[in-house]
Amino acid sequence: MSRPAIILKLILGLLWVIIHLAISLFNLWSLLIYNLQCYLISSGLLRKYQYLHLDRLNYLAIVVDSKEAKNTVKIRQLLSWLSTMGVKHICLYDIEGVLKRSFEPFMNGSKDEKAREFLDIGASMNHSHYGYKNMVIDCLSGSDGKEGIAKAADLLCSTYFNGETHGNGKKEPKFTEADMASALKAVDCGGPEPDLLLMYGPARCHLGFPAWRLRYTEIMHMGPLKSMKYGAIVKALYNFSQKYQNYGKLLGFQL
């Protein structure tokens, strides 16, 4: 290898190290600023975060990586914080149904006081709909996603072929969005659309949360559940309260 090629290789290697170091320092600085801000929010030193206006937050979704969803202590802490912040309706989701199984003793009206005390859940619960202090909690899993669509489609098709929709003179089936919404509700896979979705885990995606319930949802990645911070949740709810959502307007055109 010639001397110019060696020098060029050394220069490129040095540039790569400098760029990598600069990015690492920037990420470290951002993390320090983030942790400091979370600490100041938790301490109540940043006044604008002391009063959350959650009038627009009717339904909050929490998506958790299934491995982290096994940490029930963190889940209980998260629910406790959200309860003190004034959140009234929450949907908990993980793709493997870990959260559903954690709440399973109460789905059939269990009287197990030890389990009730462990999860700190109220007494009036049925199916996957629970009461936690002043909150209402829904639990979803991956089976409410693709399987829910399959069940709803099967219901629509069976209704059509049984003649309950189109009568004897059947035509080519045309199902509307309202038909699908009704079918999803009938198979117990419908529900309200979250106003805000908080994701906990390494992946920056909703991990299979039913997509038809995310049309106007604001989505925020919160990092790993094990490192969740009270101040970060307050900041997320505050930022949501400051956003303006433009749902668009349907215009009619005449040809």
Side-chain angles (χ1 to χ4, degrees):
M1 183 179 294
S2 63
R3 178 176 292 183
I6 294 175
I7 294 175
L8 179 61
K9 186 176 181 179
L10 290 174
I11 292 174
L12 291 176
L14 181 60
L15 286 175
W16 184 89
V17 171
I18 292 174
I19 293 173
H20 187 270
L21 180 61
I23 294 174
S24 298
L25 290 175
F26 176 78
N27 290 335
L28 179 60
W29 176 254
S30 300
L31 181 62
L32 290 174
I33 294 297
Y34 174 78
N35 288 332
L36 177 60
Q37 189 177 31
C38 290
Y39 173 77
L40 294 176
I41 293 174
S42 301
S43 303
L45 298 178
L46 297 181
R47 297 185 61 182
K48 71 176 184 177
Y49 293 102
Q50 293 180 3
Y51 304 99
L52 295 175
H53 301 285
L54 302 180
D55 299 337
R56 291 175 46 238
L57 185 59
N58 299 313
Y59 195 55
L60 172 66
I62 305 291
V63 172
V64 185
D65 180 78
S66 293
K67 292 182 179 179
E68 297 192 325
K70 298 175 183 179
N71 191 342
T72 55
V73 174
K74 283 292 186 179
I75 298 297
R76 290 173 60 203
Q77 181 66 73
L78 176 60
L79 293 176
S80 177
W81 285 345
L82 292 172
S83 178
T84 59
M85 294 175 193
V87 179
K88 300 299 183 184
H89 201 166
I90 289 181
C91 175
L92 292 176
Y93 171 89
D94 75 282
I95 194 169
E96 295 180 7
V98 175
L99 294 172
K100 267 189 174 182
R101 290 192 294 271
S102 297
F103 287 84
E104 202 168 47
F106 307 99
M107 295 176 68
N108 298 318
S110 172
K111 302 298 183 179
D112 188 344
E113 293 297 333
K114 290 184 178 180
R116 194 181 306 279
E117 181 181 352
F118 174 72
L119 290 173
D120 193 17
I121 299 176
S124 59
M125 289 167 274
N126 51 22
H127 194 52
S128 57
H129 197 70
Y130 313 98
Y132 186 102
K133 297 181 180 178
N134 297 321
M135 293 191 307
V136 175
I137 302 174
D138 301 322
C139 284
L140 299 178
S141 67
S143 62
D144 299 294
K146 293 181 180 179
E147 291 184 23
I149 284 286
K151 292 178 182 178
D154 182 66
L155 176 63
L156 287 174
C157 290
S158 63
T159 301
Y160 170 78
F161 286 114
N162 287 335
E164 298 176 11
T165 304
H166 299 275
N168 295 325
K170 292 184 175 66
K171 299 179 181 179
E172 183 179 351
K174 294 181 180 180
F175 302 125
T176 65
E177 183 179 344
D179 294 332
M180 179 57 74
S182 299
L184 286 168
K185 187 175 182 181
V187 298
D188 203 22
C189 290
E193 297 180 12
D195 303 292
L196 173 65
L197 184 145
L198 303 181
M199 300 177 296
Y200 284 96
R204 291 178 175 269
C205 66
H206 59 72
L207 298 175
F209 190 94
W212 58 89
R213 297 176 63 174
L214 298 176
R215 292 180 299 174
Y216 303 109
T217 301
E218 187 77 20
I219 301 176
M220 298 184 186
H221 184 252
M222 304 296 289
L225 183 68
K226 62 181 180 182
S227 60
M228 74 173 186
K229 296 176 177 60
Y230 179 85
I233 300 172
V234 173
K235 182 180 178 181
L237 298 186
Y238 175 82
N239 289 341
F240 171 77
S241 69
Q242 300 301 305
K243 291 181 181 293
Y244 173 76
Q245 291 180 309
N246 188 354
Y247 297 102
K249 188 175 182 180
L250 182 65
L251 298 177
F253 296 94
Q254 187 174 8
L255 299 177

